[in-house]
Amino acid sequence: MGPPVDDAEAPRPHVVEDCRGVLQLLSDGTTVRSATPPPHTVEDRDDGRVEWRDAVYDAGRGLGVRMYRPRLVEEKERRLPVLAYFHGGGFCIGSYTWPGFHAGCLRFADELPAIVLSFDYRLAPEHRIPAAHEDAATALLWLRDRLVAPSDGSDDDGVHAWLADSGADPGRLFVSGDSAGGNMTHHMAKRFRTAGLNPVRISGYVMLVPAFDSKTPTQSELVTTGTAYLSRAIAERYSRLALPVGANKDHPMLNPIGPNSPSLEVVGGRILVIVGAHDMLKDNQVRYVEQMKAVGNDIELVVFAGKEHSFFSNSPWSETGTEVVRVIGQFMDRDTADSA
């Protein structure tokens, strides 16, 4: 019989994956998450022009939503569009509480203006794709049920009354997202199109730098430097942690134009795609728009010169951020003009 093993000498778990210092995967399979966002300065301009509150949309999974409404509306009885928003983070990190996402939603609510709902969702690697997409669908169904008056008059969480008092228009819902959230927005367009939340009408979908990756590297990926906000190494790490075990980046949930993806003819509704010209994912994003147009989808592309991935959520108060809000506002206003 060998000598006794001293537990103190057993190797301690070490970090095998690190996502921006916020998420660490250890060698024993456990995950460690920080409650603090990555060190990226976003100015706090929460000056009271927008009122916001938090609610829970899936109590069983502990998933919440932050809701925003402008305090001052020129016309007291004015009906406001509703913008559902899903944050980015490679399906692995992020929250509606992070300053960049919070600031972006403040701008949307104040300047579009709109009623904005920013949803959290389950994150990988604890909950791999398609968990985030399932939560997005749950969130939209939850929102549908609170935009319309409950048949039994119940409003236990007070959300229906809050939305109604805000002037939320159930006939003008827009679904949007940044990066991973932009990817989720595509899949919501495929699932719900325009009438899938009846009697609520989905008026359009807005994808900011959607996370569309591919197994075969594109030219925009190959020229991206290691210092880019989204580098090849960081994108590979997100994919390893977020995709189903054994899947590659041509998985249909990550690459909607891949060899195993369903036809884009199943996608519906008006769509706006916003892209950064220096984004590693630019080529796949542009090809997505081209292929969507080829099968008859109503889709628009706006490319911001010189901008990298997540340029809006990283600098929501910048002049470029102002232009992003303006472009989205024009897209939303065209729906009003079309229906007039």
Side-chain angles (χ1 to χ4, degrees):
M1 186 174 181
V5 176
D6 185 352
D7 289 342
E9 297 180 0
R12 300 182 63 181
H14 59 277
V15 177
V16 295
E17 301 277 14
D18 186 299
C19 289
R20 305 192 188 279
V22 177
L23 164 67
Q24 293 181 327
L25 178 65
L26 305 184
S27 55
D28 63 357
T30 59
T31 57
V32 179
R33 290 187 177 273
S34 170
T36 305
H40 188 84
T41 303
V42 173
E43 184 180 354
D44 182 3
R45 297 191 191 178
D46 194 348
D47 57 6
R49 291 173 59 86
V50 173
E51 178 184 354
W52 56 269
R53 57 163 287 196
D54 294 341
V56 174
Y57 76 90
D58 188 335
R61 290 173 172 154
L63 296 173
V65 55
R66 180 161 290 178
M67 309 185 297
Y68 304 77
R69 64 184 180 188
R71 287 187 182 274
L72 302 175
V73 178
E74 293 179 3
E75 302 172 32
K76 188 66 176 177
E77 301 302 320
R78 182 178 177 183
R79 303 281 275 171
L80 294 177
V82 179
L83 183 72
Y85 175 83
F86 299 99
H87 65 74
F91 300 102
C92 297
I93 59 177
S95 168
Y96 62 67
T97 63
W98 284 18
F101 302 130
H102 178 65
C105 289
L106 288 172
R107 292 206 73 172
F108 291 149
D110 180 39
E111 297 173 38
L112 289 174
I115 309 303
V116 181
L117 295 95
S118 180
F119 293 93
D120 272 356
Y121 48 88
R122 287 174 292 168
L123 300 173
E126 301 95 325
H127 306 284
R128 292 175 178 263
I129 291 171
H133 303 80
E134 294 169 353
D135 293 339
T138 297
L140 294 180
L141 292 168
W142 174 90
L143 177 56
R144 175 200 64 188
D145 293 343
R146 280 151 183 80
L147 281 172
V148 296
S151 58
D152 59 1
S154 62
D155 186 22
D156 294 341
D157 56 12
V159 172
H160 170 71
W162 193 90
L163 292 171
D165 184 60
S166 306
D169 186 351
R172 293 188 68 211
L173 170 63
F174 293 83
V175 180
S176 68
D178 187 301
S179 188
N183 172 296
M184 293 157 62
T185 300
H186 158 76
H187 289 283
M188 295 306 100
K190 185 176 71 172
R191 173 165 178 170
F192 294 111
R193 299 171 67 88
T194 58
L197 291 176
N198 188 55
V200 172
R201 174 177 174 268
I202 302 178
S203 297
Y205 296 87
V206 179
M207 306 176 196
L208 290 88
V209 295
F212 298 152
D213 211 342
S214 58
K215 181 180 178 181
T216 302
T218 63
Q219 184 62 26
S220 62
E221 178 179 348
L222 293 173
V223 301
T224 297
T225 67
T227 59
Y229 182 76
L230 182 66
S231 65
R232 297 184 70 184
I234 293 173
E236 288 288 346
R237 184 174 303 122
Y238 284 145
S239 296
R240 286 195 298 271
L241 295 175
L243 286 170
V245 175
N248 64 46
K249 292 190 292 183
D250 278 340
H251 189 286
M253 301 303 284
L254 188 60
N255 184 7
I257 56 175
N260 302 313
S261 299
S263 169
L264 295 176
E265 291 179 352
V266 301
V267 183
R270 296 173 57 242
I271 297 172
L272 170 66
V273 179
I274 295 176
V275 172
H278 290 176
D279 188 349
M280 187 196 92
L281 302 176
K282 182 200 72 174
D283 286 354
N284 280 331
Q285 295 160 347
V286 172
R287 289 174 185 169
Y288 168 80
V289 173
E290 292 171 346
Q291 293 187 28
M292 286 279 284
K293 285 183 177 179
V295 294
N297 282 293
D298 183 356
I299 189 166
E300 303 174 34
L301 172 67
V302 177
V303 180
F304 281 78
K307 299 304 175 182
E308 294 188 38
H309 194 74
S310 297
F311 66 90
F312 176 71
S313 58
N314 283 343
S315 300
W317 299 115
S318 65
E319 291 184 8
T320 301
T322 300
E323 181 63 11
V324 169
V325 176
R326 187 190 69 80
V327 167
I328 294 174
Q330 284 187 333
F331 173 78
M332 295 171 68
D333 288 344
R334 278 196 291 274
D335 174 72
T336 303
D338 292 344
S339 60

